Amino acid sequence: MSDLGFKRCEASSTNGLHVVRRAGTVLSLCLLQAVLLRIANSQLTEAPDFATARLRMVEEQLTAPGRDIKNPRVLDAMAAVPRHEFVPASLREFAYLDEPLPIGFHQTISQPFIVAFMTEQLDPKPTDRVLEIGTGSGYQAAVLSRLVAEVYTIEILEPLAKRAEADLKRLGFSNVKVLAGDGYKGWPEFAPFDSIIVTCAPDQIPQALVDQLQDGGRMIIPVGTLGDQKLYLLRKHGKTIEKQAVLPVAFVPMKREPEVQDKP
Ligand code: SAH
């Protein structure tokens, strides 16, 4: 932008008779403009860099062969949501790497590919109401919020729930409701949900969540212990639950309430 500023000034300084005096005035105006543009640019440098990194993330980590995320709405959401706003400030430069990152309290924000993969498996529709268990940073909820009507998300660690709620509000994700509570119970007040996404791993699929899933709905959930964990896609048809293992994964365990005493 500062280059463009210079060019515009040069063009206007070469016409007219009083070239020397006018050129002097124009030159100082040019310098002032250039300095102001540089200051403005230096304050904005982060935004274009993050936007470029995010587009590269979509290409290299999501649509690339072997990754094969195809749903265009999911890809658009991944290209739009600022992941760097959901990681600790000291880790922002790593926000668009192909990795999970720590978010404090011994928890992590999932790898972008896993977020995109799980979201795609839910086949989200603009009218859906979705329940998430394991708010963490709020990033997955933010991605979903662009794709569905309402997102309900539960986080067992209260400081994380509060921080995610504040971040989601600050960034304008206004169709997300956050609850500090135990995800094993679901959120009966707002059930049934068109789909449910669980981003921490229980030993078994919690019955309360199956009960709160709409007939015809989908649930994506990691089950098992670290090292022996699989992501399952469940589809509910009346009383029948169709269950399909879709990917080996490594999520943090889904805690039971009495264990909730983690320090940052
Ligand atoms: N979806 C998150 C990442 C989740 S990490 C994101 O986008 O950043 C898993 C989260 O599940 C952790 O924050 C952990 O505290 C939470 N969790 C663990 N057990 C839980 C439970 N029983 N109920 C609700 N949240 C739980």
Side-chain angles (χ1 to χ4, degrees):
M1 268 175 92
S2 51
D3 287 342
L4 272 182
F6 266 125
K7 275 182 195 126
R8 237 182 288 127
C9 283
E10 276 163 17
S12 65
S13 69
T14 50
N15 51 22
L17 287 173
H18 309 289
V19 172
V20 178
R21 246 191 72 220
R22 277 193 57 218
T25 316
V26 172
L27 187 63
S28 22
L29 283 174
C30 281
L31 282 174
L32 181 63
Q33 189 179 350
V35 169
L36 289 175
L37 277 166
R38 268 190 204 287
I39 292 170
N41 279 349
S42 71
Q43 283 165 350
L44 291 174
T45 43
E46 295 204 325
D49 287 349
F50 283 131
T52 308
R54 198 155 56 241
L55 290 180
R56 199 178 315 131
M57 169 194 90
V58 170
E59 256 176 48
E60 293 175 0
Q61 301 169 33
L62 307 185
T63 58
R67 294 296 177 89
D68 302 318
I69 304 295
K70 297 244 181 326
N71 184 322
R73 294 182 69 238
V74 174
L75 292 170
D76 283 353
M78 295 297 293
V81 176
R83 191 171 191 259
H84 61 277
E85 297 281 0
F86 294 91
V87 305
S90 60
L91 299 178
R92 280 198 175 157
E93 60 186 295
F94 308 116
Y96 297 101
L97 296 185
D98 194 12
E99 313 208 358
L101 291 171
I103 53 170
F105 301 88
H106 310 295
Q107 307 305 323
T108 52
I109 178 174
S110 306
Q111 179 192 8
F113 167 69
I114 292 291
V115 173
F117 182 85
M118 291 175 82
T119 308
E120 186 172 56
Q121 294 292 312
L122 291 182
D123 192 19
K125 302 279 188 294
T127 51
D128 282 354
R129 297 167 60 256
V130 180
L131 174 68
E132 179 192 26
I133 307 300
T135 315
S137 66
Y139 175 66
Q140 171 75 72
V143 170
L144 279 166
S145 98
R146 293 186 62 95
L147 297 168
V148 302
E150 285 162 30
V151 181
Y152 299 83
T153 180
I154 305 178
E155 169 56 54
I156 203 161
L157 299 177
E158 196 175 8
L160 279 183
K162 284 197 167 142
R163 190 178 68 192
E165 187 174 33
D167 284 340
L168 288 160
K169 191 172 172 204
R170 172 175 64 84
L171 296 164
F173 296 99
S174 53
N175 58 345
V176 183
K177 270 194 174 36
V178 183
L179 175 71
D182 183 1
Y184 278 101
K185 298 178 187 153
W187 203 336
E189 199 184 332
F190 293 105
F193 300 97
D194 297 297
S195 59
I196 299 181
I197 177 167
V198 184
T199 63
C200 44
D203 297 334
Q204 288 178 357
I205 296 164
Q207 187 56 43
L209 299 185
V210 176
D211 294 344
Q212 290 175 31
L213 187 61
Q214 180 83 268
D215 194 10
R218 292 174 171 227
M219 186 186 322
I220 187 90
I221 179 167
V223 181
T225 48
L226 269 183
D228 182 23
Q229 217 182 77
K230 279 192 199 111
L231 199 54
Y232 288 91
L233 175 65
L234 267 62
R235 277 177 243 204
K236 187 171 179 178
H237 309 285
K239 291 206 161 87
T240 316
I241 304 293
E242 190 189 318
K243 184 176 156 195
Q244 181 191 353
V246 286
L247 200 71
V249 282
F251 278 84
V252 296
M254 185 160 170
K255 294 168 199 280
R256 297 266 172 200
E257 231 161 1
E259 303 167 29
V260 185
Q261 274 152 24
D262 268 353
K263 298 250 156 52

